[in-house]
Amino acid sequence: MTAAAPEVTNALREILARVTGREELAGLGDQVPLFGPGVGLDSLTGTLLLREVHRRFGVDVAAEDLNLDALATLGTLAGFVAQRVHSEHERRIRG
Amino acid sequence: MMVKCVIWDLDNTLLSGVYLESPQEPPEADPVMLAAAALLRDRGIVHAVATRNPPEAAQYAARATGLEFAAAECGWGRKSDAVRQIAEDLGLGADAIAFVDDDLYERAEVSYAVPEALVLSPEDMADAVGWPEFSPAVVTAEARRRGEMYAERRRRQEEARAFGGSRDEFLRYSETRVTIAPATADDVPRLHELSVRTHQFNTTGHAMSQPDLHALIGAAQYQVTTVRLADRFGDDGLVGGCAAARGTDGAWTVTLLMMSCRAMGRGVIETLLAWLARSAAQEGAATLAVPCLISPRNVPLRLALAASGFRAAEGGGPGEPVAVFFRTLSGPLPGLPPWLTVAVAERAGPG
């Protein structure tokens, strides 16, 4: 897994705080589980998060990740997004 | 595809003139369009407005027509953006939207940018009330209240935005009540309607006929369950259901799981999945399986399954149309959410 640039993690943290309407999540650690108590990502906030990730980074997580394992933590999501963005960049350079 | 929401232009469409030409004495409702809209409302189809007018125009149109608008986009942006915004606000796919406008250019723009939507002129609309897209086979109590439910939903969302705490705290504040009960013959029309209308939370992706539902409820090896939802903002009635087959090998399989998108973000599907796991474990099952169509439309369902500890079986992949999501029932089971009132009615009679 490609190490995610901090910009990606920070952007995802902002998106998460916005789609959940909870400003305190703007300080969330990148190892904290998104599902379950605490963050409590659910079908509504999860859908909004995936849609915004698709819009911002052009990465369709649900189409590539059947079990949505990328949504385990902010860190795993940032790694998943960064890797896809990186591969797309390489593909374009090589033509 | 059934139309769930009609988005109306106002000037020379739902109104019999141009609003801003005489704001002191605005035009009356167009009688032909109003008759069509009232008919569709009684069939459970909701109405919304997309107009190049100030917001007062939508308020005026609501008074002039007596219709309750589930959403209104008033402004000078593109109509296709208004259509997409309304679909998003109401949690509907664009293919459940009809758009009515007298202006040929606006219709072309929406047709091009939102190809899934049904785009109609007012003349088309007068005729379209007889089309299958506007003619649900059954009209349930839930369907007739749909316009009001969207208004309740708007009030709920406004309060949720102003509310400081977490989702769970808001659900508790809202006095959210989820009632889980065995399905009866009386529930069949609404369960059929849910099987036709639900896409974001539907494991099979196809409709189930009323005779098939009756047979399923009567079959001893199946447990068919209904879910009702209410809170201080209103009563959404029967919002979901599922059918679970009791396997002889200790494995339960959920052959149908469906939930109205109105229940989204209100802890209902998670409650149903937790209750199913507990219910299967209580009857001695070792695993619970949920075969699920994989489509871009039901990603919310996959999110709920992931959040509830289900994982797809080995070998399935995004390229496969159906994946089987599993969870074992040994070890700790998911708790029923403490912020919800879950009333589980006893199954009447033997079995």
Side-chain angles (χ1 to χ4, degrees):
Chain A
M1 182 81 57
T2 312
E7 302 93 273
V8 176
T9 315
N10 288 338
L12 292 173
R13 196 177 276 123
E14 275 171 38
I15 294 172
L16 184 68
R18 197 169 64 244
V19 300
T20 55
R22 290 169 62 193
E23 285 167 23
E24 72 269 22
L25 295 184
L28 188 72
D30 59 7
Q31 309 290 317
V32 180
L34 299 184
F35 291 124
V39 180
L41 196 70
D42 68 0
S43 48
L44 176 62
T45 48
T47 304
L48 296 173
L49 174 63
L50 291 179
R51 184 188 298 160
E52 199 54 34
V53 166
H54 196 181
R55 195 176 295 172
R56 184 86 71 88
F57 299 101
V59 178
D60 187 351
V61 177
E64 295 185 45
D65 181 4
L66 181 62
N67 274 306
L68 302 173
D69 291 327
L71 293 177
T73 66
L74 272 180
T76 58
L77 182 58
F80 189 95
V81 168
Q83 191 182 36
R84 297 308 186 281
V85 171
H86 181 73
S87 332
E88 178 63 13
H89 182 66
E90 292 279 295
R91 196 184 62 75
R92 284 197 188 158
I93 288 175
R94 295 201 183 113
Chain B
M1 179 56 69
M2 295 298 298
V3 170
K4 298 181 187 177
C5 174
V6 179
I7 301 178
W8 296 90
D9 166 53
L10 292 184
D11 292 336
N12 289 320
T13 302
L14 194 54
L15 300 179
S16 59
V18 176
Y19 177 80
L20 280 180
E21 282 178 1
S22 50
Q24 302 311 316
E25 199 183 330
E28 289 178 10
D30 180 277
V32 177
M33 290 301 99
L34 180 54
L39 194 64
L40 296 181
R41 175 197 56 203
D42 294 341
R43 294 179 189 170
I45 294 167
V46 301
H47 295 296
V49 163
T51 181
R52 293 184 190 282
N53 270 308
E56 304 86 83
Q59 290 156 14
Y60 165 74
R63 289 196 304 276
T65 60
L67 296 170
E68 181 125 46
F69 296 125
E73 287 290 318
C74 304
W76 282 265
R78 281 185 302 206
K79 288 268 174 115
S80 59
D81 289 339
V83 168
R84 290 229 179 261
Q85 187 61 49
I86 290 170
E88 190 173 324
D89 287 349
L90 300 183
L92 298 176
D95 53 3
I97 300 282
F99 171 75
V100 189
D101 201 309
D102 66 305
D103 187 314
L104 181 62
Y105 168 78
E106 303 284 18
R107 293 202 302 275
E109 194 270 323
V110 171
S111 294
Y112 177 75
V114 194
E116 311 93 313
L118 182 62
V119 175
L120 304 170
S121 68
E123 295 73 31
D124 294 334
M125 188 68 245
D127 185 43
V129 293
W131 297 359
E133 290 91 333
F134 293 94
S135 308
V138 287
V139 181
T140 60
E142 280 82 1
R144 275 187 290 271
R145 279 205 67 232
R146 201 162 280 134
E148 290 167 57
M149 285 179 190
Y150 277 110
E152 290 160 8
R153 177 188 149 117
R154 205 166 52 229
R155 285 192 286 278
R156 182 182 299 113
Q157 285 174 338
E158 280 163 13
E159 281 213 30
R161 265 196 292 276
F163 192 83
S166 68
R167 183 197 77 156
D168 292 5
E169 286 160 346
F170 183 73
L171 291 175
R172 193 184 297 122
Y173 159 81
S174 307
E175 296 161 17
T176 305
R177 296 186 298 286
V178 173
T179 308
I180 292 174
T184 68
D186 292 344
D187 299 322
V188 164
R190 174 61 179 156
L191 289 173
H192 167 70
E193 185 184 43
L194 282 170
S195 81
V196 174
R197 290 178 60 97
T198 57
H199 302 284
Q200 301 187 78
F201 291 110
N202 188 310
T203 53
T204 67
H206 56 77
M208 193 154 188
S209 74
Q210 299 205 40
D212 285 352
L213 281 161
H214 277 293
L216 202 59
I217 290 172
Q221 73 272 30
Y222 278 94
Q223 183 195 63
V224 186
T225 303
T226 60
V227 184
R228 289 176 171 77
L229 172 64
D231 67 10
R232 64 193 296 167
F233 299 99
D235 187 347
D236 285 281
L238 207 170
V239 292
C242 65
R246 301 179 176 92
T248 48
D249 50 356
W252 276 35
T253 303
V254 179
T255 56
L256 171 67
L257 175 67
M258 55 193 185
M259 185 76 69
S260 162
C261 57
R262 278 202 309 277
M264 204 165 166
R266 296 168 67 189
V268 186
I269 190 136
E270 294 88 345
T271 303
L272 177 60
L273 288 168
W275 178 82
L276 264 174
R278 300 181 79 86
S279 174
Q282 220 164 35
E283 292 199 27
T287 62
L288 183 60
V290 184
C292 179
L293 180 79
I294 300 301
S295 105
R297 302 199 63 181
N298 67 3
V299 170
L301 179 62
R302 275 163 61 201
L303 280 158
L305 287 166
S308 303
F310 285 81
R311 295 195 57 81
E314 292 285 323
E320 305 282 320
V322 173
V324 180
F325 289 81
F326 273 100
R327 68 162 294 146
T328 64
L329 302 174
S330 54
L333 292 171
L336 295 177
W339 66 89
L340 296 174
T341 308
V342 181
V344 181
E346 292 301 315
R347 195 181 172 90

